Amino acid sequence: MMASSYNAKEEDGHLSGTPGPGVVGADTSKKPDNTAFKQQRLPAWQPILTAGTVLPAFFAIGVIFIPIGIGLYVTSNNIREFEIDYTGLEASSPCFNCSQSYSWNNTKPCTCSVSFTLDQAFEGNVFMYYGLSNFYQNHRRYVKSRDDRQLNGDTSALKDPSKECEPYRKNVKPIAPCGAIANSLFNDTLALYISSNGTQIEIPLSKKGIAWWTDKHVKFRNPGGNNSNLAPVFKDTTKPVNWAKPVYELDTDPENNGFINEDFIVWMRTAALPTFRKLYRIIQKKGMTPTLPRGNYTLLITYNYPVHSFEGRKRMILSTISWMGGKNPFLGIAYITVGSVCFFLGVVLFIIHHKYGNRGNSSDIPS
Amino acid sequence: MFKEKPHPEEERKVRANDREYNEKFQYANNCIMTSKYNIITFLPVNLFEQFQEVANTYFLFLLILQLIPQISSLSWFTTIVPLVLVLSITAVKDATDDYFRHKSDNQVNNRQSQVLINGMLQKEKWMNVRVGDIIKLENNQFVAADLLLLSSSEPHGLCYIETAELDGETNMKVRQSLSVTSELGDPNNLAQFDGEVICEPPNNKLDRFCGTLYWRESKYGLSNQNMLLRGCVLRNTESCYGLVIFAGPDTKLMQNSGRTKFKRTSIDRLMNTLVLWIFGFLVCMGVILAIGNAVWEKEVGSLFQSYLPWDPPVDNFLFSAFLAFWSYVIILNTVVPISLYVSVEVIRLGHSYFINWDRRMFCQRRNTPAEARTTTLNEELGQVEYIFSDKTGTLTQNIMTFNKCSINGHAYGEVIDTLGAQSKRGQRLDFSFNPLADSDFCFFDQSLLESVKLGETLVHEFFRLLSLCHTVMSEEKSEGELVYKAQSPDEGALVTAARNFGFVFRSRTPSTVTVQELGRPVTYTLLAILDFNNIRKRMSVIVRNPEGKIRLYCKGADTLLFERLHPCNHDLMNVTSDHLNEYAGDGLRTLALAYRDLSEQQWEDWAEQHRSAERATDCREDRLAAVYEEIEQDMMLLGATAIEDKLQEGVPETIAILSLANIKIWVLTGDKQETAVNIGYSCKMLTDDMSEVFVINGHTVQSVREDLRRARERMMESARSRDGGKEEEMEGWVEGCSLANGFSGGGGRGADWQRQQENKQQNPVPPPLPPSTLLDSISGDFALVISGHSLAHALEADMEQEFLDTACACKAVICCRVTPLQKALVVELVKKHKKAVTLAIGDGANDVSMIKSAHIGVGISGQEGIQAVLASDYSFSQFRFLQRLLLVHGRWSYLRMCRFLCYFFYKNFAFTMVHFWFGFFCGFSAQTVYDQYFITLYNIVYTSLPVLAMGIFDQDVPEQRSLEYPKLYEPGQLNLLFNKREFFICIAQGIYTSVVLFFVPYGVLSQAARNDGIPLADYQTFAVTVATSLVIVVSVQISLDTGYWTAINHFFVWGSLGAYFTILFTMHSNILFSIFPNQFCFAGSAQNTLVQPVVWMTIALATVICIVPVLAFRFLKLDLKPQLSDTVRYTQLVRQKKRKPGGRGGRGASGGAGGLGGGAMGRLGRTGSRRSGYAFAHQEGFGELITSGKNMRLSSLALATFASRHSASWIDTLRKKKQAAQPGGGESSPATAPLSTSSSLLGPQDPATEEAANTPLGPACSSAVTPTLARSPGADSTGGWAISLGAVQVRVYRGKCFASLTPYLVLVDTQ
């Protein structure tokens, strides 16, 4: 960047009057090219904010946003959602006992059941979620504590997991799946019963289709390909510390076992926020009757997952779905608000423009 | 550069022809090296240099931080990719620069020179020349090193050099060797020469040399007169020999060229401050988040350990917080993106190219385009408040043309009709009857030629005088091809005029002058030259014509000449005087001419007195003056001449436009006061409308102070009379001021405030005003003329504030007779106290100091030397291009840079601060919101090009508008577009955007589910949503900011969006994941996220929430408080709409007419009553040179046959003669030879002239000059501008109008 001001070339350039070799080239014109680009005359669109463009824009936003907002709000309101907290920290709670004995490796599973009533019938497919609060799945150290190569079925990564998995990388033998995320896999099991005439009828829960298609088919793969017998593949590895069973015993269905177990995949897709819900099961719609009619239900929980230590909460959520997804009042309200504000702004600006605007007269340009 | 000298040289000893002896001292050899690197050292040295930049080191530091796993919140490549990119771009640029330096060094080092080695002349490369060598130079060769002139082919050891490279002066200078060495004519003798020179160490003083030659037991003093400096060119000298004293880097040329001071723009400085603030901000954010981390880890994290234990070295929450701080520093570092500096450089480079490419700053005649020699100052061109201009060669062409004359009361050359608006200039006079006529000469008044042809005696006598009374030398290269070498261009013009009208000065000898009078050669005997000097302000010759009659011809300043006329001239004098007034009013330089017949007796008597005066040893000057005075009496007036010191094209218009743009123009010139004032008038800096022109001419501190005080009082008075309300304060202040000499002013007043005051001038001003602000509020038209010796006092520490306040209150300031150093001091003064951007423009070496010290230096190229250009930051060949450089390029550069910076800070804050908000939701763990590739690419791919395109191409109003409304320039001067306030607004907008970008997706996604029931609140979906919203929001924002959508802008904006989505889908593709599963763990996110309507609704919502307030604010600002540029832009739009039905009708006319802007003024519309346009850029002493015959290279001559028509050139002729004539003889006293060209004469100024210049003009000569736009109502087809310009200007601009094909319509305001 520092330039020496002496430049011998320039010294030569001045030799115009001197006879000598190499002083030709003076006759070639140095006139710059007359191109629109070089002369900064490129044709251009020069937009300008005028009342004629800005005010209609505001009104247009208002006109577009308010109906959309109303639509969203109505749709969202039509969605049935039911949520129940079964953490059991209160002594009155049926799960109080289970919540007090927190340990990962309880040989005897602790079960508790929570009863609830649905006031309105749930139509269409009903989705069952578990929700956790105050659980920092988005913590930096947590997020990175996984080995995607291992989860993608790479056998070398199976034997030698990534360093990111520390301290859940090796427990004498390499851990599969390694890392803090896998280690903390949510392992409560939930079952739903409907009370009809005093008998509890279990509602069938489907565990297929709860994970992203890409996750199930691309991102997660068992090592050794489509081998239905996974035990030999994982034989040199050990299960995560907190798990009761090794990874190849997550399910009996070979399509849902090992790394491609959908519950596992869902868990591995970390949440963005400390309060989150994850899809647990789907209650398929059957025929014309409501999937979940009005009535009394019982949720049977196999309580394995301790959240007491970090003041977490556990919830079970039942929800229906519309074209635009689950219940989401925020979006509708936000659209209505923004649309109204824009409309209002449009009116205000219109008034201001007419009262005080001094734009129309171009004669006030001082010369 | 890297050689370390053990201790600085104290004196230099050089022995001729003794390399062994000289080698002991290890003097530098003649090899120059301006390059910085070679192939091996390039990488380390360049990297070392680059890491001296704080920014680069900072990023290196970040890189190292990122390598620590506990801290690393981002992968190392997010920093290294941009860093490597930046470093390599800079390195490539440095390498190319250095390559060219190598090339030019090589070229120079390999030039051939003839060195005397062992008594033989040998060809040597320049780089092999050693100190102590004797080298031979031939005509027109460059001097290879600083030489002591030993001998020359010319008599008396004289030789001629041109020093244009060195000091910019084009006139030839004479150098002379010591008489002892000049006798060593041939190489053999020189080879024996073993003198030793002891002299000063290398230094950079071009006009000084001090040394001693010891030879044969004698001492000889050496001065600059004996030196040939590197960079000079030998002229008119066959050959010469010189002893190398300083070589290579020690030469004065190289010593002078040192490293140029690295200039920075005010935006640069502001930017650096802001970057520091941002660092502070960054640390604050880091601390806040670290505290958050500590609290979180203590309250939550410690409990959460069963799921997420602390990393091994972390054992408590405090240590974790410490690490979190650094992690956040890494994440948040993008608020100061590394690409900022690179982008700024790229934009400036683009602007520089636009300057280089501008055809309207290309000078056809000299074939020189404008050149931005530094690429770092462009935006400062849009902020200039003070221009310091040289006069000669900058405002003027330094070409004098014989314009008008008055002979015996009859005025010739008046060809402008009374309206003054249009020219009736007919054909140029046809001088074909005269074979010796100069074809370049033009004159338009037929009657003068007719008078000559009719043989009017007085007209003949007039031209005879012009052809005889001068000190011009003629050179006749071939028959009829006369070339005049005039010491002053005025004289050249007069002699050329006489030549064309048939009185051709052909040749001269010391005692004769041969003139071809209407085809008939006549040889006059030159009896005496009564030389010019500053006091006499006239010169005379006494000649004897072939008939034997003796006549004295005199030309000089009218004021002095008129006193010495014979009383019978009274009537003629009055008429001529009227003519002179007229000429002076036109800004012409006038001379009065007179003659006197002398009888033989008178001559004899006087000659006797003259001889005795010449022989006198004491007070020779005074005696001579008295003798001259005696003979120059009772003269008969012949008439007067008017010479136009030709202004450069468009100078008055340019000055008018620039001053309308609130730029103050100060002329700093080495010229005499009269000349300077004259030019001031002719370029409309000074006008007759001015309330008063103050002349400060005192020689003592006291008188200067008195003058300044009086000037201020007068200004106060006028302000008072205009505005009674302020009276009392003024009075109070004037008194206070006269009591206290030079208050140590409050330097730190911002320009803004002053301006406000200026605007408020009509309102009552609050009482406690600093005095200078009061002065600023004076709006009368005042001008200040100050001469060099007064300036010397005025620049002293205790008076400078006083001077500055006075000068800044004036509309125009002219400093005359200033030295180069003073020029720089004046610039420094304004720079220091006014906090304003200064620009210095000049063409000669005397302007170099000023050019270097001003914020921006502009060199006029293609005229005198190139020293000024070399020192300058911008160069072009015409002063008038300055308006384009400032008002168009500068304004745009400033605008673009400001918009760029605003947007740049905005987009990075919007980008980065999202992490801050996310920190509160992720346990302050320094988890990023975005994918790391997004972070890497955001600044270098997704958002860089649209903003670069805006920074390079944006225009708010078309170029001709900014010339038409010079007021558009003001925001730059007031620094309105990017200052701390604007910065905070940008930052606030950025933070607002980041809040929206985080919390809108947060609100929506935290509960939302896809339509297959899967929740959307997973981290990757969230990241993709926020990133996409961000890219869209900043793209919409740049679309709002861009005012000039060229195809390139479209391409970049849409292309960036396209690139974002393309890269996003690629990065998230299954294929990349299957190859590198750990690197591309976002596989599938894009596909899964961006098909969700909810996600797009979130993005739309976020965008609207971000943009609507901005839109509303901008609209309100435009609607309620529109800037001038907005109004102009709007008007343009309205006109365009109106124009559309009419099609392309008026397009052609619009082009260059904008250039007229406020410049529509009558070039000749003023009739002045001011006297003395007298000017004569002449130096004393040439008369003596001529009569002594010294510069004619012959000492004793047989002159009778000299006037031979067949002589090819007087030099050759004389050279031939010289062979026969014996050398020596004549009076050769080199010591006293007045060859010095330094014009240090400071004669006392003529009181009469001064008074005349002071007198304000009566109301009669009111303004045809007011620089307002005249808009023609009817709008004819050629362009609707009625311009009351002189004919020439109109023609020029018309031509331009037709030539240009700008796509903008404008111009005709049909209302």
Side-chain angles (χ1 to χ4, degrees), chain B residues 271-286:
Chain B
M271 210 161 74
N272 285 343
T273 320
L274 296 182
V275 165
L276 280 183
W277 286 8
I278 293 175
F279 281 146
F281 176 81
L282 179 67
V283 171
C284 287
M285 293 292 111

Side-chain angles (χ1 to χ4, degrees), chain A residues 1-12 14-15 18-19 26 28-34 37-51 54 58 61 65 72 104 127 129 135-136 138-144 147-149 152 167-168 180 184 210-212 214 218-219 269-274 277 279 305-306 309-310 321-331 334-335 338 342 345 349 352-353 356-359 362 364-366, chain B residues 32 70 72 104 107-108 111 140 142 165 253-254 257-258 260 262 296-297 300 303-304 306-311 327 354 356-359 362 364 367 369 373 864 866 870 889 892 896 918 921-923 925-927 953 955 965 1002-1004 1006-1015 1017-1022 1043-1046 1048 1070 1073 1077-1078 1081 1084-1085 1088 1094 1097 1100-1101 1104-1105 1108 1112 1114-1116 1118-1120 1122 1124 1127 1129-1131 1133 1302-1304:
Chain A
M1 294 209 180
M2 273 189 293
S4 159
S5 74
Y6 175 78
N7 187 336
K9 229 178 115 210
E10 280 160 335
E11 187 184 39
D12 275 358
H14 188 63
L15 272 171
T18 325
T28 57
S29 175
K30 292 182 199 154
K31 187 163 189 169
D33 305 335
N34 189 13
F37 176 72
K38 288 190 174 181
Q39 301 309 314
Q40 306 196 59
R41 283 190 276 103
L42 286 175
W45 172 51
Q46 299 181 49
I48 183 165
L49 294 180
T50 59
V54 174
F58 277 102
I61 294 174
F65 268 46
L72 287 172
W104 281 99
F127 296 83
Y129 302 90
F135 192 99
Y136 285 81
N138 58 1
H139 195 283
R140 177 167 60 89
R141 280 183 284 121
Y142 188 86
V143 169
K144 68 173 184 180
D147 187 348
D148 281 307
R149 267 175 68 214
N152 195 35
Y168 301 108
S184 57
I210 56 172
W212 285 10
T214 45
V218 180
K219 219 173 161 182
R269 178 154 289 281
T270 53
L273 299 161
R277 58 169 79 167
L279 187 56
Y305 204 69
S309 63
F310 57 93
I321 275 301
S322 72
W323 58 271
M324 46 76 64
K327 196 174 182 73
N328 195 356
F330 179 87
L331 197 59
Y335 262 77
V338 170
C342 281
L345 260 180
L349 291 181
I352 291 177
H353 174 68
Y356 307 103
N358 53 359
R359 189 55 135 353
S362 57
D364 60 342
I365 303 179
Chain B
I32 57 159
Q70 281 78 19
S72 165
S104 74
Q107 197 189 342
V108 171
R111 281 188 191 152
N140 293 332
F142 271 107
E165 295 303 329
L253 176 70
M254 295 302 290
S257 64
T260 41
F262 189 65
W296 187 88
E297 290 289 351
V300 182
L303 307 175
F304 197 56
S306 55
Y307 293 110
L308 185 63
W310 282 334
D311 275 343
S327 302
F354 280 134
N356 294 347
W357 285 335
D358 195 334
R359 279 164 79 88
F362 172 77
Q364 194 79 57
N367 195 23
R373 296 174 49 82
E864 287 187 12
I866 53 161
L870 285 182
H889 289 287
W892 275 347
R896 291 162 176 172
F918 189 53
F921 295 88
C922 68
S925 60
Q927 173 64 21
F953 301 110
Q955 302 179 6
Y965 304 108
Y1002 169 80
V1004 178
S1006 58
Q1007 304 173 43
R1010 304 168 17 151
N1011 49 14
D1012 58 0
I1014 298 172
D1018 68 288
Y1019 169 71
Q1020 295 190 343
T1021 304
F1022 190 78
Y1044 192 77
W1045 282 80
T1046 63
I1048 299 167
N1070 302 341
F1073 175 79
N1078 272 355
C1081 55
S1085 301
N1088 279 296
V1094 175
M1097 281 182 190
L1101 184 68
V1104 167
I1105 296 177
V1108 159
R1114 293 218 173 153
F1115 174 72
L1116 277 181
L1118 280 176
D1119 208 41
L1120 301 180
L1124 178 58
T1127 319
R1129 199 177 157 92
Y1130 183 75
T1131 317
L1133 185 85
T1302 42
Y1304 313 116

Side-chain angles (χ1 to χ4, degrees), chain B residues 1233-1271:
Chain B
L1235 287 168
S1236 158
T1237 43
S1238 72
S1239 50
S1240 55
L1241 275 168
L1242 289 173
Q1245 306 290 340
D1246 184 6
T1249 346
E1250 205 175 298
E1251 199 180 300
N1254 270 336
T1255 322
L1257 291 166
C1261 50
S1262 62
S1263 59
V1265 207
T1266 345
T1268 44
L1269 275 173
R1271 211 171 273 180

Side-chain angles (χ1 to χ4, degrees), chain B residues 660-774:
Chain B
L660 280 179
N662 221 344
I663 299 173
K664 297 205 171 79
I665 300 170
W666 293 27
V667 171
L668 309 177
T669 173
D671 262 322
K672 288 195 307 290
Q673 185 181 316
E674 293 89 341
T675 327
V677 171
N678 213 307
I679 290 299
Y681 276 99
S682 59
C683 66
K684 310 294 177 212
M685 270 186 70
L686 307 179
T687 59
D688 290 331
D689 304 340
M690 290 204 148
S691 319
E692 198 163 339
V693 177
F694 306 110
V695 176
I696 294 175
N697 204 10
H699 282 261
T700 63
V701 183
Q702 216 49 52
S703 64
V704 172
R705 180 164 285 155
E706 189 66 20
D707 282 345
L708 285 172
R709 196 179 56 80
R710 205 176 303 125
R712 277 199 308 274
E713 270 171 26
R714 294 279 304 130
M715 285 191 255
M716 290 299 165
E717 263 168 44
S718 91
R720 205 176 325 167
S721 59
R722 188 173 41 82
D723 185 7
K726 283 194 273 182
E727 193 170 338
E728 292 211 348
E729 302 142 33
M730 295 276 180
E731 199 126 63
W733 178 68
V734 170
E735 252 149 37
C737 169
S738 47
L739 284 173
N741 287 325
F743 25 79
S744 53
R749 298 173 310 275
D752 301 42
W753 195 60
Q754 293 173 23
R755 193 89 38 172
Q756 280 173 14
Q757 293 307 323
E758 242 168 274
N759 296 338
K760 272 195 224 158
Q761 49 187 261
Q762 298 307 328
N763 313 328
V765 184
L769 274 183
S772 57
T773 317
L774 249 176

Side-chain angles (χ1 to χ4, degrees), chain B residues 270-566:
Chain B
L270 178 60
M271 210 161 74
N272 285 343
T273 320
L274 296 182
V275 165
L276 280 183
W277 286 8
I278 293 175
F279 281 146
F281 176 81
L282 179 67
V283 171
C284 287
M285 293 292 111
V287 167
I288 292 172
L289 291 165
I291 291 170
N293 182 274
V295 172
W296 187 88
E297 290 289 351
K298 188 162 182 284
E299 299 291 323
V300 182
S302 54
L303 307 175
F304 197 56
Q305 288 213 45
S306 55
Y307 293 110
L308 185 63
W310 282 334
D311 275 343
V314 182
D315 48 4
N316 62 41
F317 63 91
L318 285 176
F319 188 53
S320 159
F322 173 76
L323 293 183
F325 173 77
W326 293 110
S327 302
Y328 269 114
V329 166
I330 294 173
I331 292 193
L332 299 178
N333 84 76
T334 43
V335 281
V336 194
I338 192 165
S339 53
L340 173 67
Y341 290 95
V342 181
S343 308
V344 166
E345 291 301 319
V346 169
I347 288 175
R348 285 175 175 160
L349 192 71
H351 295 172
S352 303
Y353 273 108
F354 280 134
I355 291 172
N356 294 347
W357 285 335
D358 195 334
R359 279 164 79 88
R360 298 209 192 146
M361 283 166 52
F362 172 77
C363 178
Q364 194 79 57
R365 201 150 26 93
R366 301 189 194 280
N367 195 23
T368 34
E371 191 190 353
R373 296 174 49 82
T374 35
T375 57
T376 54
L377 297 175
N378 295 319
E379 75 269 2
E380 197 139 80
L381 290 172
Q383 301 187 278
V384 172
E385 278 187 72
Y386 287 89
I387 291 179
F388 299 90
S389 174
D390 177 39
K391 186 193 77 70
T392 318
T394 307
L395 296 177
T396 64
Q397 301 178 359
N398 209 15
I399 295 175
M400 306 291 166
T401 52
F402 181 79
N403 203 292
K404 289 173 190 175
C405 62
S406 158
I407 304 173
N408 196 24
H410 191 293
Y412 297 94
E414 191 65 43
V415 285
I416 309 295
D417 72 4
T418 42
L419 282 171
Q422 259 239 295
S423 155
K424 283 202 304 194
R425 281 192 180 189
Q427 286 300 106
R428 265 172 63 164
L429 285 192
D430 179 21
F431 290 108
S432 55
F433 72 93
N434 181 356
L436 291 170
D438 184 350
S439 54
D440 290 338
F441 180 82
C442 42
F443 202 76
F444 297 93
D445 193 352
Q446 190 66 34
S447 60
L448 183 57
L449 192 56
E450 273 154 19
S451 306
V452 173
K453 284 181 176 164
L454 286 174
E456 284 178 27
T457 19
L458 281 171
V459 175
H460 281 191
E461 201 62 13
F462 180 88
F463 285 115
R464 189 169 293 127
L465 184 150
L466 292 184
S467 66
L468 289 172
C469 179
H470 56 78
T471 55
V472 172
M473 303 296 242
S474 77
E475 189 172 339
E476 201 160 352
K477 287 210 170 104
S478 62
E479 176 65 28
E481 226 182 272
L482 274 173
V483 177
Y484 291 142
K485 295 216 164 147
Q487 178 61 25
S488 82
D490 306 56
E491 276 206 317
L494 292 176
V495 178
T496 308
R499 165 182 170 180
N500 277 42
F501 283 102
F503 289 77
V504 188
F505 164 66
R506 291 210 75 163
S507 59
R508 69 156 79 239
T509 69
S511 54
T512 62
V513 177
T514 306
V515 178
Q516 184 129 344
E517 291 187 352
L518 296 169
R520 183 172 54 93
V522 184
T523 303
Y524 292 85
T525 314
L526 182 64
L527 298 175
I529 295 179
L530 284 57
D531 202 3
F532 172 90
N533 75 24
N534 252 9
I535 307 159
R536 283 164 43 76
K537 293 188 175 175
R538 60 187 183 271
M539 77 166 285
S540 309
V541 292
I542 302 174
V543 292
R544 190 198 298 272
N545 68 10
E547 288 87 56
K549 277 179 75 179
I550 301 174
R551 192 167 266 188
L552 174 139
Y553 290 109
C554 181
K555 66 177 181 193
D558 44 17
T559 43
L560 287 148
L561 211 70
F562 284 0
E563 292 168 15
R564 291 167 177 78
L565 293 180
H566 196 269

Side-chain angles (χ1 to χ4, degrees), chain B residues 13-23 114-122 130-136 148 150 181 184 186-197 213 215 241-245:
Chain B
K13 292 182 178 178
V14 181
R15 189 176 290 168
N17 291 322
D18 194 346
R19 279 196 173 183
E20 264 173 49
Y21 175 81
N22 295 326
E23 258 159 30
Q114 300 181 63
V115 183
L116 198 62
I117 298 171
N118 305 325
M120 299 279 289
L121 273 177
Q122 290 182 6
R130 294 285 142 79
V131 171
D133 288 352
I134 291 178
I135 56 179
K136 182 186 180 187
L148 171 67
L150 292 176
T181 58
L184 303 164
D186 61 299
N188 291 334
N189 290 341
L190 282 166
Q192 304 302 316
F193 178 68
D194 60 349
E196 183 169 347
V197 173
L213 172 69
W215 190 42
Y241 289 92
L243 169 67
V244 178
I245 304 286

